[in-house]
Amino acid sequence: MSGSSIAVVGVGAIGGVVAAALGDLAHHDLTLCVRTPFDVLEVELPGGRSRVDATILANPGQARPVDWVLVATKAHQTADALPWLRGLTAEGTTRWAFLQNGVDQVERGNRLAAGGTGPALAPADVVPVIVNLPASRPAPGRVIQSLNGMLTSPDDEAGRAFATLFEGSRISVRSHADFTTIAWRKLLMNASLGGVCAFISGSDEAVAEGPLRRFVLDLMLEALPVARAEGAEIEEADCEQILERIMQAAPDHWSSIAVDRREGRPMEWEARNAVIGRRGRKHGISTPRHDALTDLLRAIG
């Protein structure tokens, strides 16, 4: 099998798991672009451990063009990827994949392509990717993947090409024809359950029952008309099913935004929460609960 040159920008929990899966496929040429340098990436997996053989760069000035750039930073850190993208992108041939939360990954990519105060870039494609890979990063160069997971890309030529990168790896990657619905199903959960858990600085288990569970469900139902206006096919009954499935799978799970709140780090409220109200206003749909939760999360970080 022929390989691709791939750079992972942002080797935290998600970037580390993805890098390990790609690194185990010997045919790829892998580069890890990091802020804090480390000697080797070690990933603890549900069924073993992986040490990643890759080039590790901490200086964007050392970057060279690759076939694929996988941006795995948090959404609010996207702009930090721009110096890397300048060195990693051969205009018109390099593809960018954004492995981030939210429903506006393509917009983020297009903003980066505009170049900020520098010259514009011209990636061949900007591919949004939905990530379901429960993992944590206790230290630079060390990642723990708690459960097996999945990546989802659009069912178009670029999305299928992204999925092909992982053929034979431990990560399941699917190209879905109704990418919009899949993306909004995850956002409803991230914005509602994740937002509430971030505000109270608790795990999913903290809202498993009682008034807080009802409030999470009310938030999901309030955002549902926005999701439908955006083209997602989600019913009211789906919201309860989505919430129950998450609670049963890993009730003690801490969402990444709740971990950031607990650790005193900036939170991803813009991509996970503010987007609900922003898209709602575009369609003339009121989202007062989400607007209030967004304001609260903004106020605390």
Side-chain angles (χ1 to χ4, degrees), residues 35-139:
R35 182 167 46 193
T36 303
F38 49 82
D39 294 330
V40 64
L41 174 63
E42 295 185 347
V43 180
E44 184 177 326
L45 306 164
R49 186 180 298 271
S50 179
R51 287 173 59 90
V52 181
D53 181 18
T55 300
I56 300 174
L57 299 180
N59 180 2
Q62 297 176 323
R64 297 294 179 266
V66 295
D67 300 323
W68 281 90
V69 181
L70 278 49
V71 181
T73 65
K74 294 286 183 69
H76 59 280
Q77 298 168 330
T78 303
D80 296 341
L82 182 55
W84 288 108
L85 291 170
R86 292 199 186 284
L88 295 167
T89 302
E91 297 195 355
T93 62
T94 300
R95 285 169 156 163
W96 298 351
F98 283 76
L99 286 68
Q100 295 178 328
N101 283 313
V103 291
D104 54 355
Q105 298 96 329
V106 173
E107 289 93 326
R108 285 177 228 147
N110 288 337
R111 285 196 295 270
L112 287 183
T117 58
L121 297 171
D125 298 286
V126 177
V127 182
V129 179
I130 301 166
V131 179
N132 287 291
L133 294 173
S136 60
R137 189 200 71 157

Side-chain angles (χ1 to χ4, degrees), residues 89-206:
T89 302
E91 297 195 355
T93 62
T94 300
R95 285 169 156 163
W96 298 351
F98 283 76
L99 286 68
Q100 295 178 328
N101 283 313
V103 291
D104 54 355
Q105 298 96 329
V106 173
E107 289 93 326
R108 285 177 228 147
N110 288 337
R111 285 196 295 270
L112 287 183
T117 58
L121 297 171
D125 298 286
V126 177
V127 182
V129 179
I130 301 166
V131 179
N132 287 291
L133 294 173
S136 60
R137 189 200 71 157
R142 182 165 178 260
V143 173
I144 300 172
Q145 182 181 357
S146 55
L147 294 169
N148 292 321
M150 173 179 289
L151 302 175
T152 304
S153 60
D155 189 19
D156 55 22
E157 193 277 330
R160 291 190 293 272
F162 172 81
T164 300
L165 297 176
F166 292 84
E167 287 184 351
S169 80
R170 74 178 68 89
I171 293 181
S172 175
V173 184
R174 61 175 177 172
S175 299
H176 203 287
D178 192 0
F179 183 83
T180 297
T181 293
I182 303 300
W184 274 93
R185 284 176 69 94
K186 183 177 182 186
L187 183 63
L188 291 184
M189 181 58 60
N190 276 350
S192 304
L193 178 62
V196 171
C197 287
F199 183 69
I200 66 172
S201 191
S203 69
D204 293 354
E205 191 173 24

